[in-house]
């Protein structure tokens, strides 16, 4: 009886542990994605309010998102340390003009991943952000 109970318990643990791991990874990725999306909104708002070009540096240093305007750092967040995620993007930075429009020549894709879970943020040339 004891062997049967132990085998059933170990089978249940083998099923539950990967599910909990994916759940934890998903929560971390969603939170990091929300924070990154918020950084883009902050940059756009700062560009409009200050009437100055505002830049967003991605993954400099590794794991960081940095918002700067006129040489002043408005926000720097280490998503890698805070959520245990990795960042990869098609460009290392983007910017918003004083009118709140994207400033640059190409779109940007930012992939935030942890374990088997990943989300992508797309930023168009016009500065629109979508997930």
């Amino acid at each position: 009886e004891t062997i049967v109970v132990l085998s059933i318990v170990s089978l249940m643990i083998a099923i539950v542990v990967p599910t909990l791991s994916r759940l934890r990874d998903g929560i971390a990725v969603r939170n990091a994605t929300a924070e990154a999306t918020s950084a883009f909104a902050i940059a756009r708002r700062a560009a409009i309010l200050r009437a100055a070009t505002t830049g967003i540096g991605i993954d400099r240093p590794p794991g960081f998102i940095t918002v700067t305007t006129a040489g002043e750092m408005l926000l720097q967040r280490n998503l890698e340390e805070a959520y245990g995620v990795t960042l990869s993007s098609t460009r290392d930075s983007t910017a918003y003009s004083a009118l709140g429009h994207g400033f640059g020549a190409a779109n940007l894709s930012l992939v935030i991943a942890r374990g088997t879970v990943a989300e992508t943020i797309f930023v168009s040339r016009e500065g629109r952000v979508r997930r």
Side-chain angles (χ1 to χ4, degrees), residues 12-88:
M12 291 175 73
I13 289 173
I15 292 170
V16 170
V17 168
T19 303
L20 290 177
S21 178
R22 276 193 305 275
L23 180 64
R24 190 181 71 222
D25 291 347
I27 290 169
V29 168
R30 275 191 300 281
N31 288 339
T33 301
E35 197 160 331
T37 303
S38 175
F40 284 100
I42 288 168
R44 183 173 185 274
R45 212 170 304 124
I48 293 168
L49 289 174
R50 294 173 181 232
T53 301
T54 302
I56 302 171
I58 299 168
D59 212 27
R60 282 194 265 160
F64 281 77
I65 287 187
T66 307
V67 177
T68 56
T69 186
E72 179 185 352
M73 185 186 321
L74 301 179
L75 171 76
Q76 185 173 50
R77 191 74 169 115
N78 186 348
L79 298 180
E80 188 174 285
E81 184 178 297
Y83 301 104
V85 298
T86 57
L87 305 178
S88 61

Side-chain angles (χ1 to χ4, degrees), residues 49-131:
L49 289 174
R50 294 173 181 232
T53 301
T54 302
I56 302 171
I58 299 168
D59 212 27
R60 282 194 265 160
F64 281 77
I65 287 187
T66 307
V67 177
T68 56
T69 186
E72 179 185 352
M73 185 186 321
L74 301 179
L75 171 76
Q76 185 173 50
R77 191 74 169 115
N78 186 348
L79 298 180
E80 188 174 285
E81 184 178 297
Y83 301 104
V85 298
T86 57
L87 305 178
S88 61
S89 65
T90 55
R91 297 175 54 201
D92 63 351
S93 65
T94 191
Y96 286 95
S97 71
L99 297 174
H101 300 295
F103 191 76
N107 298 331
L108 177 135
S109 296
L110 173 63
V111 178
I112 301 173
R114 178 176 164 170
T116 60
V117 180
E119 283 195 27
T120 304
I121 298 172
F122 299 100
V123 182
S124 71
R125 285 188 300 261
E126 292 83 27
R128 289 188 296 256
V129 177
R130 69 182 166 90
R131 292 166 70 178

